[in-house]
Amino acid sequence: MDRLETRELVYFVAVAEELHFTRAAERLGIAQPPLSRAISRLERRMGVALLQRTSRRVELTSAGSVFLEECRRLLEGLDGAVRRTQQAGLPSRLVFAVRPGTGSELLARLLRSCSSAELELLFTHDGSKALREGSADVALLCIGSDDLTDLRTTVVTEERPMALLPRDHDLARLATVTVADLRQDPVYQDHCPPMGLDEILDRVTLGRLVTVVGSGVGERLTPGVRAVPVTDLPGTTLALARRNDVTRPEVTAFVRAAQHVMTGQTRGPATAA
């Protein structure tokens, strides 16, 4: 059979997700009859039924379910390839994905050090996805909690767990706390909520949140918040991650500069381009 066209994949995904030809046609901005013919032609070319049609409903066959996942993967890969190609044609620039509130001390030192590179920050709670989609060149990820599959990593630092507490909280007077101590407060959350650090600090100040973050946020604390070490939680190992197939020299230089910054080997501004 001839190679499938991208348009055919897009058409099938729309029908498979909507399970309704009229809604899928509206979503695609085309008429319904040509869409039905395109899907029937696709099934004939592949020699397998992708959809089970009745007068009342449309359902995916087992083959259709497999093809839907493959189409999504292929279209995401194509989108990523386009973004990476576009970035390659731009002036030298690195996109660095960082989770809000993670590695704040490291980030500040890197920004001060890597003065010769054009560095763009991308704040996201899914740095792994940003790397795979091609919207980021490097990401600061947590080993043990982030998905590092098929990514190359370089460990740069470790952060100690710190409880963020309102300054007038009873536990804020202690030198250290445990998770059991924190769980006595009804506003305590085991996992730091997916929001910016500024909003987290505001909620803690107002007594609406108690949570645990990495020690790197120490430089960003506001007057109404105190950070207290948590003794029974492990530290977080932070690593710079990049795709295995990325060979840009700027990425390699940036990772090397980060290692120098964190080991105190830098002698003046590091070059990352």
Side-chain angles (χ1 to χ4, degrees), residues 44-66:
R44 288 196 300 272
R45 290 179 63 194
M46 295 185 66
V48 63
L50 302 172
L51 300 169
Q52 181 69 44
R53 307 165 179 82
T54 68
S55 59
R56 294 185 177 182
R57 59 197 303 178
V58 176
E59 295 180 342
L60 286 170
T61 64
S62 57
S65 296
V66 171

Side-chain angles (χ1 to χ4, degrees), residues 29 54 90 92 116-117 123 134 150 164 173 176 184 221 223 236 257:
T54 68
L90 296 173
S92 180
S116 62
F123 288 101
D150 298 327
L164 294 184
R173 304 188 187 96
T176 62
Q184 294 178 23
L221 292 182
T236 300

Side-chain angles (χ1 to χ4, degrees), residues 102-273:
T102 298
S104 298
E105 180 182 0
L106 169 63
L107 181 58
R109 295 171 66 178
L110 281 175
L111 291 176
R112 288 194 298 265
S113 177
C114 300
S115 57
S116 62
E118 185 178 344
L119 187 65
E120 178 181 336
L121 296 180
L122 172 64
F123 288 101
T124 174
H125 288 277
D126 197 341
S128 299
K129 182 179 180 181
L131 288 175
R132 294 189 176 93
E133 289 183 344
S135 55
D137 301 298
V138 188
L140 185 63
L141 302 180
C142 301
I143 291 181
S145 58
D146 286 313
D147 180 10
L148 305 178
T149 306
D150 298 327
L151 298 177
R152 195 152 39 111
T153 59
T154 301
V155 173
V156 287
T157 190
E158 183 166 329
E159 292 191 332
R160 294 174 291 111
M162 306 290 287
L164 294 184
L165 298 156
R167 186 158 291 276
D168 58 356
H169 197 286
D170 290 342
L171 297 178
R173 304 188 187 96
L174 302 179
T176 62
V177 295
T178 65
V179 173
D181 295 330
L182 298 173
R183 285 178 175 162
Q184 294 178 23
D185 193 314
V187 301
Y188 170 68
Q189 294 188 27
D190 281 305
H191 299 287
C192 192
M195 60 184 65
L197 181 59
D198 289 340
E199 184 176 353
I200 290 172
L201 294 175
D202 286 343
R203 291 194 177 197
V204 174
T205 300
L206 295 172
R208 296 180 178 177
L209 175 67
V210 170
T211 192
V212 177
V213 298
S215 53
V217 305
E219 295 182 356
R220 300 275 307 276
L221 292 182
T222 54
V225 177
R226 183 160 186 268
V228 179
V230 183
T231 58
D232 55 349
L233 286 178
T236 300
T237 301
L238 299 181
L240 293 177
R242 59 273 195 210
R243 292 166 54 102
N244 279 318
D245 58 352
V246 170
T247 58
R248 289 180 60 192
E250 298 91 347
V251 173
T252 302
F254 178 74
V255 173
R256 187 180 301 117
Q259 289 179 290
H260 290 174
V261 167
M262 296 313 296
T263 57
Q265 297 176 8
T266 304
R267 300 287 191 269
T271 298

